[in-house]
Amino acid sequence: MQTPDIHVLAAGTALPGPALDNAALAARFGLNLAWRQWVDTFIGTDTRHLSIDLETGAQRYTLADLGEQAAERALAAAGLEPEDIDLVVMGTSSPDQLMPATANVIADRLGIDGVSIYQLQSGCTGAVQSLDIAERLLSTGRHRTALVLGGDVSAKHYSVQIDVTKMDPGQMVNGVLFGDGAGACVLSAEPRPGSPVLRHVRVRAVGLGRLPGQVVDYSGMAGPRGDQPLVVEDYKAIEESVPRMAAEMLHEVLGELAWKQDEVDYLLPPQLSGRMTALIAERLALPGAEEITCVRETGNTGNALPFFQLEMLLPRLKDGQRAVGVAIESSKWIKAGFALEAV
Amino acid sequence: MQTPDIHVLAAGTALPGPALDNAALAARFGLNLAWRQWVDTFIGTDTRHLSIDLETGAQRYTLADLGEQAAERALAAAGLEPEDIDLVVMGTSSPDQLMPATANVIADRLGIDGVSIYQLQSGCTGAVQSLDIAERLLSTGRHRTALVLGGDVSAKHYSVQIDVTKMDPGQMVNGVLFGDGAGACVLSAEPRPGSPVLRHVRVRAVGLGRLPGQVVDYSGMAGPRGDQPLVVEDYKAIEESVPRMAAEMLHEVLGELAWKQDEVDYLLPPQLSGRMTALIAERLALPGAEEITCVRETGNTGNALPFFQLEMLLPRLKDGQRAVGVAIESSKWIKAGFALEAV
């Protein structure tokens, strides 16, 4: 069955407030130089942007705020109006509310109406999950132009009132690892001059019999259970598994496209942290591929990250060039990949 | 572009614990006969099943528990094994956790691995949203057999410690309107003898400039804001809008299929409450169509409901017969419809 090529017309992103560096976090939470050295060595994230006020913990930016801004930028870069969009797909692990879906709120603010809008509950592979569904729905010909979104405001899962100096390192990691942000891109069955083709998207859940590597809980009327954190990660399992899973997905995508390793011009590796991304990129080792990475500046923005990478990639990608992106989600162990080609 | 027909092989459902009637709720919360008459007249829901213990509020069944059971029943009815499934799509407004997605937990319990798994954050149209995505992904030929799930455990959003006799009626409605449950069906590009074809699925968000009709909030580390309810509904807007929206979607589906009103054998109307469903079915007024309704017994089980209707429909649908289902979501105003034909 012949399906039309789906093109990436443009990408846009949004970050809340100013960049917060490790010195600012250390000053706010009374952490010493040893802590800053630990962050530099073991996390490798220099700055992040947070949706909350660091002093009070109050939420200053919602996911809808950030998603709206990212979508506006992507639409403007694509030269499209909201009425050109006939499909919206968004991924997030931190919706503003359980109902209505944040994607519908963003669509309302943008003036998009009367179309199919889908919001995925997803983690670090959510952007690729959203690309997958949008690409498939466009390829059936029922839709023409999709706005694909991803974003997270993970900071709201944390309390700024906690004495960070007494946290165990496993918990403390979360406070420096994650950043908030949103991203968007426009996919279309109608090409523009220079718009690359989304050649392949692959999402594969591989968590059979494995405990989750990341759990994010929420509370109903009962409220949180005492001091129990809402976010728990198994960093040992993540460090062990993610580089291997990333390599598997990269080779799966290359194999399915029959692309050779030296035919990839740009690599968009998973963006867990500065240190993990460096380890993963080393493992993936594509000769001649330039790495597109932003995690040292943005922190791990979850569902937003591949859009930041796309925004960096698109102006660089020249005719005939190829790019492969990989994202790994540790929640219940999901590997995802995608490939672009400028034609 | 010719795409293969996608067939509904089987459906299965699950309800938590015993049926709770209005007398049982009245006895638990100290409500009088006038209250029971009000429920009979204005809600029209006789029984529901709850995932929580009515005495303590403790959660006895998770969404994963119910989804696993419904999926097992659907797979057994389809005569399939978990390894036959190469796509899972699930809709819910009340996931067990934000991460991992409950769909991935259910897949793990069933023994489904290595496939694409997507979970939508959705309300009363979530089952149709999931059918839509699964049908489209199957129709591109990349997947062969999908497990489609929907479910909600809304009871966890409520406190059983509240003095219900002092609640305003608008809030009290939620306590009798909703029930918990999960449903599943199996879609396949490979027909079975007698398996109807999913002829059409349509989801359309129409909330431009409208306030949400339903809001479901959740809390992070800060906990709920005092006594503010997590669930708020605008019943006046719902009563005004939903019958009209249901009629619009019914006629849209019929129009797109070029089916005449008297060519529909079964109608699966929205299942808001016994009273609302009766009003809507009257408004839809399909001559000769038999109504498939369960809301009086199950309550409004949200993302699960169309699967309960499908489970009732499938054994009745004879060769050449047609069925149309409609679901309306008041969150940010979404209308959805689907059509089946036994061939």
Side-chain angles (χ1 to χ4, degrees):
Chain A
M1 191 174 60
Q2 188 62 36
T3 59
D5 281 343
I6 304 306
H7 295 255
V8 182
L9 301 193
T13 60
L15 290 166
L20 285 167
D21 62 16
N22 296 327
L25 289 182
R28 167 66 181 87
F29 294 110
L31 298 161
N32 57 20
L33 187 64
W35 176 84
R36 285 175 57 186
Q37 288 171 336
W38 172 80
V39 173
D40 287 342
T41 310
F42 291 101
I43 310 292
T45 298
D46 302 325
T47 59
R48 75 286 298 153
H49 300 246
L50 299 184
S51 56
I52 59 168
D53 183 303
L54 204 57
E55 293 307 314
T56 65
Q59 195 173 3
R60 296 167 59 218
Y61 300 87
T62 65
L63 181 61
D65 294 337
L66 301 176
E68 178 189 7
Q69 203 171 55
E72 276 175 349
R73 290 172 182 166
L75 286 171
L80 292 178
E81 300 297 326
E83 53 265 33
D84 297 319
I85 299 298
D86 63 359
L87 173 66
V88 178
V89 185
M90 175 166 176
T92 183
S93 73
S94 48
D96 287 330
Q97 298 170 307
L98 295 175
M99 290 281 101
T102 307
N104 294 67
V105 174
I106 293 170
D108 184 19
R109 292 193 189 178
L110 295 170
I112 295 171
D113 198 44
V115 306
S116 301
I117 302 177
Y118 297 118
Q119 180 174 307
L120 296 165
Q121 187 66 29
S122 49
C124 291
T125 62
V128 188
Q129 293 184 29
S130 300
L131 285 175
D132 189 32
I133 287 177
E135 195 273 343
R136 291 282 93 188
L137 265 58
L138 291 170
S139 77
T140 67
R142 199 181 63 184
H143 304 278
R144 296 298 297 169
T145 308
L147 175 63
V148 186
L149 289 149
D152 274 301
V153 287
S154 309
K156 72 176 175 184
H157 297 311
Y158 301 98
S159 168
V160 296
Q161 314 306 338
I162 284 174
D163 184 349
V164 178
T165 60
K166 292 187 178 137
M167 283 173 94
D168 73 79
Q171 281 308 312
M172 208 187 275
V173 173
N174 289 319
V176 287
L177 196 66
F178 291 103
D180 296 334
C185 76
V186 180
L187 297 187
S188 180
E190 291 161 25
R192 293 293 172 82
S195 61
V197 176
L198 186 53
R199 280 276 176 241
H200 200 65
V201 192
R202 174 63 72 200
V203 179
R204 205 180 278 289
V206 291
L208 188 68
R210 293 198 68 182
L211 288 173
Q214 186 190 32
V215 173
V216 181
D217 217 338
Y218 68 99
S219 63
M221 279 308 277
R225 291 180 294 270
D227 279 345
Q228 280 190 43
L230 291 175
V231 181
V232 177
E233 307 216 350
D234 182 348
Y235 285 105
K236 201 173 159 62
I238 291 171
E239 285 205 3
E240 275 174 14
S241 298
V242 172
R244 177 183 47 78
M245 291 169 69
E248 288 167 0
M249 180 46 69
L250 174 66
H251 294 128
E252 181 170 344
V253 169
L254 293 180
E256 289 175 330
L257 287 165
W259 287 3
K260 296 197 182 70
Q261 291 202 30
D262 60 3
E263 292 174 347
V264 178
D265 300 286
Y266 295 97
L267 172 67
L268 286 55
Q271 303 282 297
L272 277 78
S273 71
R275 176 169 172 262
M276 279 293 288
T277 293
L279 287 176
I280 293 166
E282 194 178 315
R283 169 93 174 235
L284 299 183
L286 283 183
E290 187 181 330
E291 183 187 331
I292 306 277
T293 281
C294 60
V295 64
R296 277 196 169 269
E297 292 75 43
T298 62
N300 183 344
T301 58
N303 283 267
L305 255 168
F307 299 102
F308 282 91
Q309 293 170 294
L310 276 177
E311 192 181 37
M312 294 165 73
L313 172 72
L314 292 180
R316 302 189 201 185
L317 202 64
K318 302 282 175 273
D319 272 11
Q321 286 192 320
R322 292 169 167 178
V324 177
V326 176
I328 304 293
E329 179 169 330
S330 58
S331 63
K332 196 65 176 111
W333 306 106
I334 307 170
K335 45 190 186 184
F338 60 101
L340 277 78
E341 185 172 24
V343 286
Chain B
M1 191 175 62
Q2 187 64 35
T3 58
D5 282 343
I6 305 305
H7 295 254
V8 182
L9 301 193
T13 61
L15 290 165
L20 285 167
D21 63 16
N22 296 328
L25 289 182
R28 166 67 181 84
F29 293 109
L31 298 162
N32 58 20
L33 188 62
W35 177 84
R36 284 175 57 185
Q37 287 170 337
W38 171 80
V39 173
D40 287 342
T41 309
F42 291 101
I43 310 293
T45 297
D46 302 325
T47 58
R48 76 286 296 153
H49 299 246
L50 299 183
S51 55
I52 58 167
D53 183 304
L54 204 56
E55 293 306 314
T56 64
Q59 194 174 5
R60 295 167 59 217
Y61 299 87
T62 64
L63 182 60
D65 293 337
L66 300 176
E68 177 189 7
Q69 202 170 55
E72 276 176 349
R73 289 171 182 165
L75 286 171
L80 292 178
E81 300 297 326
E83 53 265 35
D84 297 320
I85 299 298
D86 62 0
L87 173 66
V88 177
V89 185
M90 175 166 176
T92 183
S93 72
S94 47
D96 287 330
Q97 298 170 308
L98 296 175
M99 290 281 102
T102 307
N104 294 67
V105 174
I106 293 170
D108 183 18
R109 291 192 189 179
L110 294 170
I112 295 170
D113 198 45
V115 306
S116 300
I117 302 177
Y118 296 119
Q119 180 174 309
L120 296 164
Q121 188 65 28
S122 50
C124 290
T125 62
V128 188
Q129 293 184 30
S130 300
L131 285 174
D132 189 31
I133 287 177
E135 195 274 341
R136 291 283 93 187
L137 265 58
L138 291 170
S139 78
T140 67
R142 198 182 63 185
H143 302 278
R144 297 299 296 170
T145 308
L147 175 64
V148 186
L149 289 148
D152 274 303
V153 287
S154 308
K156 73 176 174 185
H157 297 312
Y158 300 99
S159 168
V160 296
Q161 315 305 339
I162 285 175
D163 185 348
V164 178
T165 60
K166 291 185 180 140
M167 283 173 96
D168 73 79
Q171 280 309 312
M172 207 188 274
V173 172
N174 289 320
V176 288
L177 196 66
F178 292 102
D180 296 335
C185 76
V186 180
L187 297 187
S188 180
E190 293 162 23
R192 293 294 171 82
S195 62
V197 175
L198 186 54
R199 280 277 177 239
H200 200 65
V201 191
R202 174 63 73 197
V203 178
R204 204 178 279 289
V206 291
L208 188 68
R210 294 198 67 181
L211 289 173
Q214 185 190 34
V215 173
V216 181
D217 216 338
Y218 68 99
S219 61
M221 278 309 277
R225 291 181 293 270
D227 279 346
Q228 281 189 42
L230 291 174
V231 182
V232 177
E233 307 218 349
D234 182 348
Y235 285 106
K236 202 173 158 62
I238 291 170
E239 284 203 6
E240 275 174 15
S241 298
V242 172
R244 176 183 50 75
M245 290 169 69
E248 289 168 1
M249 181 44 70
L250 174 66
H251 295 126
E252 181 170 344
V253 169
L254 294 180
E256 289 177 330
L257 288 165
W259 288 3
K260 296 196 182 71
Q261 290 201 33
D262 60 4
E263 292 175 345
V264 178
D265 300 286
Y266 295 96
L267 172 67
L268 286 54
Q271 304 281 297
L272 278 77
S273 69
R275 176 169 171 261
M276 280 292 289
T277 293
L279 287 174
I280 294 166
E282 196 179 315
R283 168 94 176 236
L284 299 183
L286 284 184
E290 186 180 329
E291 183 187 331
I292 306 278
T293 280
C294 61
V295 64
R296 277 196 170 269
E297 291 77 42
T298 61
N300 183 343
T301 56
N303 282 269
L305 255 168
F307 297 103
F308 282 92
Q309 292 170 293
L310 276 178
E311 192 181 37
M312 294 165 73
L313 172 71
L314 292 181
R316 302 189 201 183
L317 202 64
K318 302 283 176 273
D319 272 10
Q321 286 193 319
R322 291 168 168 178
V324 177
V326 176
I328 304 294
E329 180 169 328
S330 58
S331 62
K332 196 69 176 104
W333 306 106
I334 308 169
K335 45 190 187 183
F338 61 98
L340 276 77
E341 185 171 26
V343 287

